[in-house]
């Protein structure tokens, strides 16, 4: 069964802290997406990964194919980073499966 | 206008009504998607279109009927919906289906009474 699990479900941190959000999946994949959803519903695609590491500004995404695990890191977190972060995995069978999301709150 | 737009942003309908959601993308993409996001549930991919052809239908009830007249426009026709269909409906587009970066519209908040 193609499953995607995210942790933690909720995360509250102080401004400036280093944030890590995790995504694990059950079987081999073709691609993994990290999405950001702000209050009100708008979704922004942050990264698409199939191997290695990608960086954009203060955001870093890594994937370990052997361990079936991906992490999203935020350096020098800011209140505007408060959002739900969603991992979505493409298992190569024309199915895109989504995690339940991690709700991040950054306190000033 | 650029990006992915959706109309209406909010919709309230009765179970016997027929309504349509509209999505338009100005990014030159070839693939378009409909997603459903219910409260406290993960995003669900409903339909995928690539070059106007439907490539995926994730066992969506027939009361949801998609239409893709061209690569820039996508509709979701709704009829005889149930209250449990109340959700945020999101449209997205990408150059190639599934594995490319997707760009999302703001969503339509649907309430079925």
């Amino acid at each position: 069964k193609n499953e995607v699990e995210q942790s933690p479900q909720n995360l509250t941190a102080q401004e400036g802290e280093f944030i890590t959000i995790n995504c694990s999946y059950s079987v081999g994949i073709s691609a993994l997406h990290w999405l950001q959803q702000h209050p009100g519903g708008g979704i922004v695609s942050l990264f698409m990964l199939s191997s290695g590491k990608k960086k954009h500004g203060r955001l870093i995404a890594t994937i370990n194919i052997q361990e079936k695990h991906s992490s999203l890191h935020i350096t020098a977190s800011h209140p505007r980073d408060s959002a739900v972060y969603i991992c979505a995995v493409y298992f190569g069978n024309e199915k895109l499966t989504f995690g339940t999301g991690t709700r991040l709150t950054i306190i000033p | 206008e650029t990006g992915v737009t959706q109309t209406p942003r909010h919709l309230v309908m009765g179970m016997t009504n027929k309504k349509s959601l509209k999505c338009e993308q100005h990014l030159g993409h070839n693939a378009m998607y409909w997603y459903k996001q219910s409260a406290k549930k993960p995003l669900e991919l409903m339909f995928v279109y690539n070059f106007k052809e439907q490539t995926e239908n994730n066992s969506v009830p027939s009361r949801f009927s998609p239409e893709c007249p061209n690569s820039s426009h996508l509709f979701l026709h709704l009829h005889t919906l149930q209250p449990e269909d109340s959700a945020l409906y999101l449209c997205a587009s990408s150059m190639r289906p599934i594995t490319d970066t997707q760009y999302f519209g703001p969503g339509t908040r649907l309430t079925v009474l």
Side-chain angles (χ1 to χ4, degrees):
Chain A
K1 184 181 176 183
N2 298 338
E3 293 184 342
V4 179
E5 290 189 3
Q6 282 187 242
S7 63
Q9 287 191 339
N10 293 283
L11 178 58
T12 299
Q14 291 291 132
E15 182 174 356
E17 286 190 39
F18 181 81
I19 302 298
T20 296
I21 298 170
N22 299 296
C23 177
S24 297
Y25 46 91
S26 54
V27 297
I29 65 170
S30 297
L32 182 145
H33 298 260
W34 279 105
L35 309 172
Q36 179 193 56
Q37 186 170 29
H38 280 282
I43 293 180
V44 174
S45 179
L46 299 175
F47 296 104
M48 196 283 290
L49 293 164
S50 55
S51 64
K53 176 179 175 179
K54 287 190 177 180
K55 183 176 189 292
H56 186 257
R58 294 181 295 106
L59 301 177
I60 304 166
T62 63
I63 188 167
N64 185 317
I65 299 297
Q66 287 74 28
E67 295 186 3
K68 299 183 178 60
H69 180 268
S70 175
S71 292
L72 177 68
H73 305 286
I74 305 174
T75 61
S77 58
H78 190 276
R80 65 175 174 267
D81 297 325
S82 298
V84 176
Y85 291 84
I86 301 168
C87 168
V89 173
Y90 176 52
F91 290 101
N93 57 354
E94 303 299 321
K95 300 294 181 187
L96 191 60
T97 304
F98 292 82
T100 52
T102 295
R103 184 173 300 278
L104 174 66
T105 303
I106 303 297
I107 300 170
Chain B
E1 189 176 6
T2 59
V4 181
T5 58
Q6 289 186 242
T7 54
R9 295 293 307 276
H10 299 271
L11 178 62
V12 179
M13 59 187 289
M15 289 191 284
T16 58
N17 291 158
K18 289 184 180 181
K19 296 286 184 184
S20 295
L21 309 184
K22 179 182 176 183
C23 176
E24 187 172 359
Q25 57 98 359
H26 305 272
L27 300 169
H29 290 163
N30 300 313
M32 296 188 76
Y33 314 77
W34 279 118
Y35 289 93
K36 176 183 178 183
Q37 188 176 40
S38 303
K40 302 189 186 302
K41 287 187 178 181
L43 270 168
E44 301 171 56
L45 178 61
M46 300 174 72
F47 301 104
V48 181
Y49 277 82
N50 189 31
F51 289 101
K52 304 188 298 177
E53 299 296 320
Q54 187 180 124
T55 60
E56 182 158 350
N57 174 341
N58 273 342
S59 304
V60 179
S62 59
R63 58 185 184 270
F64 294 92
S65 174
E67 179 190 0
C68 189
N70 55 61
S71 293
S72 299
H73 294 85
L74 185 64
F75 295 89
L76 188 63
H77 304 299
L78 316 171
H79 63 98
T80 58
L81 294 191
Q82 304 297 312
E84 59 266 27
D85 297 322
S86 298
L88 180 68
Y89 289 85
L90 291 151
C91 173
S93 71
S94 65
M95 188 58 71
R96 293 172 299 183
I98 300 295
T99 53
D100 272 7
T101 298
Q102 295 182 26
Y103 294 79
F104 286 79
T108 294
R109 177 74 60 186
L110 174 67
T111 302
V112 181
L113 301 175

